[in-house]
Amino acid sequence: MDDNMGFIPQDKIDEIKSVADIVSVIGDYVDLKRAGSNYVGLCPFHNEKTPSFSVSPQKGIFHCFGCGVGGDVISFIMQKEGLSYPEAIKFLADKLGILVETNEVNKEKYEHRKKLYEINNEAKLFFYKNLLINDVPKEYIKKRDLTNSMINKFIIGYADGKNSLYRHLLQKGYQKDDIIEVGLVNQDESGNLYDKFRNRLMFPILDIRGNIIGFGGRTLVDARAKYMNSPQSLAYDKSKNVYGVSNLKNSTKVGKIILVEGYMDVISLTNYGFDFAIASLGTSLTHDQAKLIKRYCKNIYICYDGDSAGQNATSRAIEVFKEQDISPNIIVIPDNMDPDDYIKKYGKDSFNRLIDNAMDSVIYEYKKILQKYDINDVREKIQLIDDLTTLLSKLDRAVIRDEYIKRFSNDLNLDDSSLKKDVYNKLNENKSRNSVINEDIVNSQTDDKESINNQEKITAIEIMTISCFHRNKYVELKEEFSKFNTTISSYNNFMDFVDIYYSKNDTKEIDEKTARKYFKNDIQMDKTIDYLFQKSKNSININNIDKIILEIKKYLILQEKDNIKSKLDLMQSVEFNDKINKEYKDILNQILEINRQIKDYK
């Protein structure tokens, strides 16, 4: 062990191993696919075309039957990152947010994070005491049926409107800059400091190790932002944590998890005995949150609000869980109610019946499609069948797909062979569009593999293909295409070349020899050019190009929507910003319009 790394206690090493899901860790480097109880992929330590690299989540080990390399999660990081044993432990600890006491140079970072945790813990105690001595929150507590046991379990507190927390923390000896960094105090343009959370019921957020990493605050007055949350910081990463970690740990014993939207939903369900409810932090479930939840339990029940926003969030969560090989169940709450309101009105037994009647994710999406259309209108029924075909084509196993085809055909009085034909045609179409992903064109050409999804890869190849073989469309849509922000370097390199080529040549499409000469020293770009000229050239013809352009525009608008939503989330940590909110609403209207154009496309 390196002397400058210091001694790492065995219990800390054991903690890291227990928290580090070997499939998730190795999955950041290798495209793993389930094979029975194990996962397989192409070995990252030697070149191979047939997967011989196996990971066993039960045993916590990996092994390559081709080159013989193997070991546990720490030895994988050692070999992949070229680190010593203690360096690999530190690498994993940093990734997982675990503090490792060593004498390394980066100890300052750990000490600073500890200080931020201390400040948050002191704020938690301050808010809790405030709740006990103030009359202001008592009316809300009574209205929401918050019992003393729930207040104590979740350490609920109260932030008054007197900027008293900042003065308290200064008196405790904490530094101004640290208090600002952790997000408990804001500073205006004149340099004045004030408590971020004022006149709010406070919900401390814990990580899986019990550190207070941040807060959520629910207004008790007529504030523009109903909820405010701690900003991202060294102490708090909302994308990797969930609310209700004690319930997350309970789920291991109970064998199920209920995923809800808000703090009060978690608390109310726990109060009624459902102490395995948790909430994602932020607007929607993230991939890291799904990975964290999966470590504890794979029997997931999504129970979001019944309104349209809740339904959309449910569909997104279904997709995120599917990427973790989890098929969640969906608890549908009637009358657009949220779990908190429903359980208070109808009680524990009624909510248990909702759990018993939970739908699988396919039936849930099917019901959503039925709500969208009038089945007695011929045109709308055609649109319904199109949506249904898309849904069924996403199912991996043929036997399950065919069972749903029979069921839905019977429901809708359709010929099941006709629906089956449509579904399998859609599957072949998807294979054609997705074939680019198997060609290493974009997989090995991304700066941030974790952030690239399949639709982004498809959009990249479609824009490249249109630009390469349809100059008039490229010129017409050049400004639109420039809105596509991606870290796929093959795309960025090729589009730079396209711009240069058309500025010098008056041809209808790009000459293959010129493209190869331009990229003659780049092997990866050679693969891209192979695909464009040998396969992709014939995938986009003049008859279907307009629909593909609509799909591209839709993706670009969705990408812009996500960027604006991120701005909104950040603005809510200070004050709600009307300008950003208007931009977001305008984007939603654009999405509705382009969906209409796609549906009307002939």
Side-chain angles (χ1 to χ4, degrees):
M1 182 176 289
D2 295 351
D3 292 336
N4 64 348
M5 287 296 293
F7 172 74
I8 302 173
Q10 185 61 43
D11 62 344
K12 187 63 68 175
I13 295 171
D14 292 339
E15 179 189 359
I16 291 165
K17 282 186 175 182
S18 67
V19 174
D21 174 13
I22 192 168
V23 175
S24 296
V25 172
I26 295 179
D28 287 342
Y29 300 85
V30 180
D31 183 17
L32 295 173
K33 291 181 171 59
R34 184 183 285 279
S37 60
N38 295 334
Y39 289 79
V40 297
L42 296 174
C43 180
F45 301 110
H46 81 285
N47 292 324
E48 61 176 7
K49 293 183 178 179
T50 303
S52 59
F53 182 84
S54 177
V55 181
S56 168
Q58 285 83 7
K59 297 176 182 177
I61 59 172
F62 70 95
H63 181 77
C64 178
F65 294 94
C67 66
V69 68
D72 62 8
V73 67
I74 295 174
S75 59
F76 178 86
I77 292 298
M78 286 172 66
Q79 294 173 79
K80 189 62 188 164
E81 295 291 341
L83 302 174
S84 67
Y85 184 76
E87 286 171 340
I89 292 171
K90 184 266 168 190
F91 180 95
L92 278 173
D94 202 40
K95 190 179 180 72
L96 299 164
I98 299 174
L99 303 183
V100 178
E101 302 298 337
T102 72
N103 296 320
E104 66 191 283
V105 177
N106 285 341
K107 187 176 180 183
E108 290 179 10
K109 179 180 176 182
Y110 291 119
E111 291 300 328
H112 186 55
R113 186 186 280 149
K114 280 176 66 177
K115 179 65 69 177
L116 298 183
Y117 288 152
E118 287 175 19
I119 294 172
N120 276 340
N121 191 61
E122 186 60 42
K124 171 201 76 177
L125 296 172
F126 181 81
F127 291 141
Y128 178 72
K129 290 174 184 175
N130 241 5
L131 181 73
L132 301 179
I133 61 174
N134 273 279
D135 292 330
V136 177
K138 287 183 180 175
E139 182 182 346
Y140 183 81
I141 288 170
K142 184 178 179 182
K143 177 184 170 186
R144 301 306 292 260
D145 294 336
L146 280 170
T147 62
N148 287 338
S149 62
M150 288 300 103
I151 289 170
N152 293 334
K153 177 178 174 64
F154 291 95
I155 331 163
I156 300 169
Y158 170 63
D160 60 34
K162 304 173 184 176
N163 288 327
S164 54
L165 174 65
Y166 179 53
R167 292 194 297 272
H168 173 77
L169 292 174
L170 286 179
Q171 288 171 3
K172 286 287 182 178
Y174 295 111
Q175 300 301 307
K176 178 187 79 171
D177 290 345
D178 292 342
I179 301 170
I180 292 173
E181 181 183 348
V182 83
L184 289 167
V185 167
N186 288 336
Q187 189 168 18
D188 63 22
E189 293 176 359
S190 303
N192 299 313
L193 295 157
Y194 56 94
D195 287 359
K196 172 188 171 67
F197 298 101
R198 303 185 303 281
N199 303 308
R200 291 179 181 273
L201 203 67
M202 299 301 295
F203 303 93
I205 301 165
L206 286 72
D207 66 13
I208 58 174
R209 289 162 297 281
N211 299 306
I212 307 294
I213 57 176
F215 295 90
R218 202 274 186 200
T219 185
L220 298 181
V221 295
D222 188 19
R224 295 168 79 183
K226 184 176 178 181
Y227 278 94
M228 291 177 80
N229 302 297
S230 293
Q232 294 282 115
S233 71
L234 184 61
Y236 179 52
D237 185 344
K238 69 178 180 180
S239 70
K240 295 182 179 178
N241 292 278
V242 297
Y243 181 72
V245 289
S246 61
N247 285 357
L248 185 65
K249 293 172 182 176
N250 286 343
S251 69
T252 306
K253 304 170 193 171
V254 179
K256 64 182 75 166
I257 282 177
I258 300 176
L259 177 66
V260 294
E261 285 189 43
Y263 308 116
M264 282 306 306
D265 295 325
V266 171
I267 294 165
S268 277
L269 289 179
T270 303
N271 191 34
Y272 280 82
F274 300 96
D275 58 352
F276 44 93
I278 61 170
S280 54
L281 298 163
T283 53
S284 59
L285 184 77
T286 69
H287 296 280
D288 286 326
Q289 287 170 336
K291 286 179 181 178
L292 173 63
I293 293 167
K294 181 183 176 183
R295 289 176 197 157
Y296 290 86
C297 185
K298 295 181 182 178
N299 187 19
I300 314 294
Y301 289 79
I302 300 174
C303 186
Y304 285 167
D305 297 355
D307 58 15
S308 60
Q311 290 180 21
N312 291 335
T314 299
S315 294
R316 288 195 300 271
I318 288 169
E319 291 303 314
V320 172
F321 277 124
K322 279 185 177 177
E323 290 184 18
Q324 299 299 321
D325 289 325
I326 291 175
S327 295
N329 303 297
I330 317 300
I331 298 172
V332 177
I333 301 180
D335 303 324
N336 287 349
M337 298 178 76
D338 60 36
D340 177 33
D341 291 332
Y342 183 88
I343 200 164
K344 281 173 185 162
K345 185 171 182 179
Y346 297 108
K348 181 176 181 177
D349 291 343
S350 186
F351 193 81
N352 259 322
R353 283 194 291 275
L354 289 184
I355 295 176
D356 291 340
N357 294 322
M359 303 178 191
D360 70 50
S361 57
V362 179
I363 297 295
Y364 174 79
E365 294 292 357
Y366 169 62
K367 298 279 188 185
K368 272 184 66 180
I369 291 171
L370 290 182
Q371 290 173 3
K372 283 170 62 179
Y373 301 106
D374 178 3
I375 198 168
N376 296 312
D377 183 292
V378 175
R379 288 188 63 186
E380 292 209 15
K381 188 169 184 178
I382 291 169
Q383 292 296 331
L384 185 154
I385 293 169
D386 285 346
D387 283 5
L388 190 58
T389 300
T390 300
L391 170 66
L392 291 165
S393 69
K394 291 179 181 178
L395 301 180
D396 294 331
R397 295 182 60 191
V399 63
I400 295 173
R401 192 187 305 126
D402 291 348
E403 280 300 313
Y404 281 117
I405 288 172
K406 287 178 186 175
R407 175 171 176 172
F408 297 156
S409 298
N410 188 53
D411 281 354
L412 300 169
N413 196 25
L414 299 170
D415 176 13
D416 64 342
S417 61
S418 297
L419 181 58
K420 188 172 184 177
K421 183 180 178 182
D422 284 351
V423 171
Y424 281 84
N425 284 340
K426 184 73 175 179
L427 275 167
N428 291 330
E429 180 187 323
N430 289 344
K431 280 181 184 177
S432 174
R433 292 188 83 212
N434 279 312
S435 62
V436 58
I437 296 165
N438 299 321
E439 295 290 329
D440 290 333
I441 294 175
V442 291
N443 284 346
S444 59
Q445 288 275 304
T446 59
D447 298 327
D448 182 5
K449 292 179 184 177
E450 186 69 23
S451 68
I452 307 297
N453 56 45
N454 281 0
Q455 188 55 52
E456 186 170 342
K457 296 171 185 178
I458 291 167
T459 302
I461 202 68
E462 286 176 342
I463 292 176
M464 283 193 283
T465 306
I466 289 171
S467 302
C468 189
F469 304 110
H470 300 275
R471 177 183 183 142
N472 58 332
K473 289 294 181 183
Y474 165 74
V475 172
E476 177 189 334
L477 298 163
K478 184 178 177 181
E479 187 176 343
E480 198 79 38
F481 290 164
S482 69
K483 297 174 184 176
F484 181 49
N485 295 315
T486 182
T487 57
I488 301 172
S489 53
S490 60
Y491 169 86
N492 293 322
N493 292 339
F494 189 78
M495 294 307 289
D496 286 343
F497 163 70
V498 169
D499 193 36
I500 293 168
Y501 181 88
Y502 285 136
S503 68
K504 295 179 178 179
N505 298 278
D506 188 22
T507 56
K508 292 183 179 180
E509 63 181 55
I510 287 174
D511 174 62
E512 183 177 351
K513 288 182 181 178
T514 307
R516 291 195 182 279
K517 184 177 179 181
Y518 185 87
F519 293 109
K520 63 182 179 181
N521 296 321
D522 191 329
I523 296 172
Q524 288 300 333
M525 288 305 297
D526 204 41
K527 290 182 181 178
T528 302
I529 294 166
D530 282 347
Y531 185 85
L532 282 171
F533 285 89
Q534 294 170 17
K535 294 184 180 179
S536 192
K537 182 176 184 178
N538 299 320
S539 69
I540 297 177
N541 59 51
I542 204 68
N543 295 321
N544 67 0
I545 194 170
D546 288 335
K547 185 177 180 185
I548 290 170
I549 288 168
L550 280 175
E551 294 284 1
I552 291 170
K553 286 182 176 180
K554 180 180 177 181
Y555 180 80
L556 298 182
I557 290 173
L558 289 170
Q559 198 178 51
E560 190 176 349
K561 184 203 82 167
D562 290 342
N563 290 336
I564 291 175
K565 194 71 180 73
S566 298
K567 287 184 193 175
L568 262 179
D569 290 342
L570 289 172
M571 294 310 298
Q572 284 179 348
S573 68
V574 204
E575 284 295 333
F576 205 81
N577 186 295
D578 287 334
K579 181 177 180 296
I580 301 295
N581 193 36
K582 184 179 182 304
E583 286 182 23
Y584 186 62
K585 288 178 180 175
D586 289 345
I587 285 289
L588 292 180
N589 288 332
Q590 288 181 52
I591 292 168
L592 290 172
E593 172 59 22
I594 207 158
N595 276 337
R596 185 191 64 74
Q597 291 179 40
I598 290 170
K599 284 180 182 177
D600 289 348
Y601 181 81
K602 294 289 182 288

